[in-house]
Amino acid sequence: MLVEGVAGSGKTLLAFEFAVSLAATGSSVLLLCYNRNLAGWLQEQARGEPRVASRPESLEIATFHSFALGLARRAKVEFEVPSESAQTFWDDEVPLILEQALDLLRKGAPLYDAVIVDEAQDFSPDWWVTVESLTRGGRQGRLYAFLDRKQSLRGDPRIPSVPLPTTFALTTNCRNTKSIARSGAFLAGAEITLLPSTPEGEAPAVFRAPTQASEAGLVVEEVRRLLRRGLAARQIVLVRPAAHHAGALARSHDVDDVPLIEDAAEWRRGAGILVTTARSFKGLEADVVLLYDLSGFGSWFTATDLYVAWTRARHRLVCVCHGAE
């Protein structure tokens, strides 16, 4: 089955709920995704799920790459990430390593009653034959893919390269306010519907700073304002194109004694305000998202990244830009 949905339509929640419901009936289920932070959140949700508490082994959650690494270790297959051409390794070499590990393990290789893939638009076309082989029935097995081609990180979004004869479309945004949902859909050229009960919300705010140094002041002041309004650290996420240590807030470690942190799990526990990238926060969401260090598009921050970051905000979105573009 192929489930294609717009941002905020509940793809991840449906994938997780389906995985849990199958595991609760005794099926063995593998839930794969692309983003490790999303996998971490799903694993946390599974640990607190009473329906699988007595059979935690029935539901396995991993990224494609961490699943491959785990099997490579079991099969004693070398898994060494090169210092150069790392992306080629992750895209092209890892599926071959996984195939080798499965072949070496043979009867000891894991097979699942159902394989569910979230973020399927980010899976390389070459991965799908291997993913399909993880089901007990092979090509006749139970494989479910959830995706949004508008959020593809590959630039050439394609549906999975294996037969998925049943399709569903999810067009209703259930996450964002109307203001954020409509503007996000406009950015991506996506057609969406909204629930009648969805609040209008505040229009996304855009601030322009003359320099990166002055941009830092704008970001800090906006965060202060949110904290003074009573928002908790775990409700706020700061998103920039690349790592925190290279941006406008590189020298900032806290805002009014609230730490700026880069660990999403610690952020969920309320340890501080998360500073991350659009690609790392993909699949997750927050009450308030503040985008900063925006000065134009490039290889590290594309129009797709902007759409992804934009639609992570449930209630409030702020963009702080610098430069002439």
Side-chain angles (χ1 to χ4, degrees):
M1 180 184 297
L2 173 67
V3 181
E4 188 163 4
V6 299
S9 58
K11 297 182 296 299
T12 296
L13 293 177
L14 285 172
F16 178 76
E17 173 60 27
F18 188 42
V20 169
S21 64
L22 287 175
T25 63
S27 297
S28 59
V29 182
L30 174 64
L31 175 54
L32 292 174
C33 63
Y34 185 84
N35 182 0
R36 65 177 182 174
N37 283 326
L38 177 59
W41 179 78
L42 290 168
Q43 289 162 355
E44 287 178 15
Q45 298 299 110
R47 286 193 290 270
E49 177 52 65
R51 287 174 290 174
V52 294
S54 61
R55 299 182 71 249
E57 72 284 353
S58 64
L59 175 58
E60 184 172 355
I61 300 172
T63 66
F64 177 82
H65 294 119
S66 66
F67 180 79
L69 174 59
L71 281 193
R73 287 174 173 169
R74 279 179 55 185
K76 296 181 171 56
V77 176
E78 183 179 347
F79 194 107
E80 185 174 345
V81 184
S83 56
E84 298 181 0
S85 303
Q87 194 58 51
T88 300
F89 171 80
W90 292 116
D91 282 348
D92 302 333
E93 297 298 322
V94 169
L96 297 177
I97 291 172
L98 177 55
E99 286 280 8
Q100 183 182 1
L102 289 169
D103 185 58
L104 289 171
L105 291 170
R106 296 185 182 178
K107 291 184 179 180
L111 290 176
Y112 301 87
D113 296 316
V115 175
I116 301 170
V117 178
D118 193 21
E119 300 185 298
Q121 74 280 345
D122 293 328
F123 277 46
S124 171
D126 295 336
W127 300 357
W128 284 101
V129 173
T130 305
V131 170
E132 186 181 54
S133 72
L134 296 171
T135 67
R136 291 195 190 281
R139 301 205 73 162
Q140 305 303 318
R142 304 181 70 181
L143 175 62
Y144 308 86
F146 293 75
L147 60 83
D148 177 6
R149 280 182 273 186
K150 300 289 187 182
Q151 296 188 61
S152 173
L153 298 178
R154 297 189 173 275
D156 181 22
R158 286 177 279 178
I159 62 173
S161 56
V162 293
L164 294 167
T166 304
T167 62
F168 285 97
L170 304 175
T171 61
T172 301
N173 181 302
C174 306
R175 173 195 295 145
N176 313 110
T177 62
K178 289 180 180 177
S179 293
I180 294 172
R182 287 170 179 157
S183 54
F186 176 79
L187 285 174
E191 295 185 9
I192 64 168
T193 57
L194 294 164
L195 298 171
S197 59
T198 300
E200 184 65 34
E202 300 177 62
V206 179
F207 301 110
R208 184 177 296 278
T211 64
Q212 190 178 58
S214 59
E215 181 182 20
L218 283 174
V219 174
V220 169
E221 189 52 43
E222 181 64 20
V223 172
R224 281 198 181 112
R225 191 179 70 83
L226 293 168
L227 294 172
R228 288 168 184 166
R229 288 175 60 182
L231 273 76
R234 63 176 176 271
Q235 293 178 274
I236 305 169
V237 171
L238 307 182
V239 177
R240 68 176 308 273
H244 169 45
H245 59 75
L249 298 181
R251 297 183 180 180
S252 300
H253 303 290
D254 65 84
V255 175
D256 291 351
D257 297 325
V258 178
L260 300 179
I261 62 176
E262 298 183 71
D263 188 316
E266 289 297 310
W267 166 70
R268 285 192 290 274
R269 287 191 277 272
I273 295 169
L274 181 64
V275 184
T276 187
T277 66
R279 298 183 186 188
S280 293
F281 201 60
K282 198 164 179 284
L284 302 174
E285 58 188 50
D287 288 330
V288 179
V289 171
L290 196 157
L291 306 177
Y292 72 104
D293 271 348
L294 304 181
S295 60
F297 295 127
S299 59
W300 287 104
F301 193 77
T302 66
T304 298
D305 292 318
L306 178 61
Y307 171 60
V308 168
W310 197 280
T311 53
R312 301 307 97 198
R314 285 192 289 255
H315 303 295
R316 175 72 170 152
L317 177 70
V318 179
C319 299
V320 182
C321 316
H322 69 267
E325 297 185 42

